[in-house]
Amino acid sequence: MSDLNEILSLLNKGQGTAPSRSIQSNRGAASSSSSSNSTASSPSSSILEGLNLSSINPDLIQQVRQEYLTKKTNEESLRNATSLTPEVLIAIANMAKTTELISVMKKCKQRQDKKEQELYSHRESIKRRYKKQKENLMAKELIGVKIGADEIKSIDRELDRELHAMDLQVLKEMDKEVKHLQQEFVQLNVPLFKVSNDPNDIKLQQKVLHILQDI
């Protein structure tokens, strides 16, 4: 098993990833020995010294290498996925079990619900304020103060204008919440997720969210 780990570590190094702890230890030992002899050895020679390939079946080396390359290919395929393929569904199901994906999704949902409630409360306060203005005008009219028809219409126009501005603000805030969720999912490498305003991308992402809610 240690031989297999060393093979995988060597393959990782070939892909530009960090070497394993066992190889680092071998490198450290080789460096110490080299220092005592006042001769410098390269990192690659240290790795080769620590890896005994002569006792390993070449077929086994090829098998491990092929499995490693297959894994890398699958990861690349998931990153570039553009539809809900069986592979994507399997990957999402596995992530739901092995990562914080569900927890992150719930936190994003709670954050969005809180923002929606704040915006709704603000919108209702606007309506109450203009309703109060109309009630004050009607009260004046009851005690004999003449109220022009334009005054009521003016209040209605101002109400419509302010509600329209508020609705635009709601849309902007909801867009921010969508972007926040996308960023959180991108950090987890969830398939089909990227920061995007494209309706097709968002539609696919919503399908993923619906699937996660049922898990």
Side-chain angles (χ1 to χ4, degrees), residues 38-207:
S38 301
T39 58
S41 60
S42 66
S44 59
S45 63
S46 298
I47 292 173
L48 292 176
E49 288 171 5
L51 183 61
N52 183 10
L53 296 177
S54 62
S55 61
I56 303 176
N57 189 322
D59 291 338
L60 181 58
I61 296 176
Q62 181 60 27
Q63 178 185 345
V64 172
R65 184 175 186 276
Q66 187 59 45
E67 290 176 356
Y68 174 83
L69 294 176
T70 299
K71 180 182 178 182
K72 289 294 182 182
T73 300
N74 290 340
E75 291 174 352
E76 185 69 21
S77 176
L78 289 174
R79 280 195 296 269
N80 297 328
T82 57
S83 62
L84 277 172
T85 63
E87 291 78 13
V88 168
L89 292 174
I90 292 172
I92 291 172
N94 288 335
M95 292 187 71
K97 296 177 182 178
T98 60
T99 71
E100 298 180 351
L101 178 57
I102 299 298
S103 175
V104 169
M105 181 186 69
K106 289 181 178 179
K107 289 179 180 178
C108 289
K109 182 66 167 60
Q110 291 171 354
R111 171 186 162 122
Q112 179 178 331
D113 289 344
K114 181 180 179 181
K115 177 59 67 175
E116 287 178 352
Q117 184 59 45
E118 290 174 355
L119 294 171
Y120 174 78
S121 297
H122 188 192
R123 195 177 194 279
E124 289 299 301
S125 70
I126 293 173
K127 293 166 67 175
R128 287 194 299 269
R129 175 157 45 87
Y130 282 95
K131 181 181 178 182
K132 185 67 175 177
Q133 290 181 23
K134 292 177 71 173
E135 289 175 348
N136 289 339
L137 286 179
M138 292 177 182
K140 290 180 180 180
E141 192 172 29
L142 288 175
I143 62 175
V145 178
K146 187 175 181 180
I147 303 298
D150 288 343
E151 292 186 64
I152 299 293
K153 291 180 180 179
S154 176
I155 291 176
D156 288 336
R157 284 195 300 269
E158 285 299 309
L159 172 61
D160 290 342
R161 182 192 63 78
E162 196 162 343
L163 287 179
H164 178 69
M166 182 64 201
D167 290 340
L168 293 178
Q169 181 64 24
V170 169
L171 292 176
K172 290 180 181 179
E173 293 297 329
M174 289 301 99
D175 284 343
K176 289 180 182 178
E177 294 304 312
V178 170
K179 184 177 181 180
H180 173 75
L181 183 142
Q182 289 174 334
Q183 290 172 334
E184 292 292 314
F185 275 38
V186 166
Q187 290 183 3
L188 292 174
N189 295 319
V190 181
L192 302 179
F193 271 83
K194 59 184 176 180
V195 178
S196 171
N197 292 323
D198 188 302
N200 292 327
D201 292 336
I202 293 177
K203 185 177 180 179
L204 275 175
Q205 293 171 2
Q206 288 175 337
K207 289 182 179 180

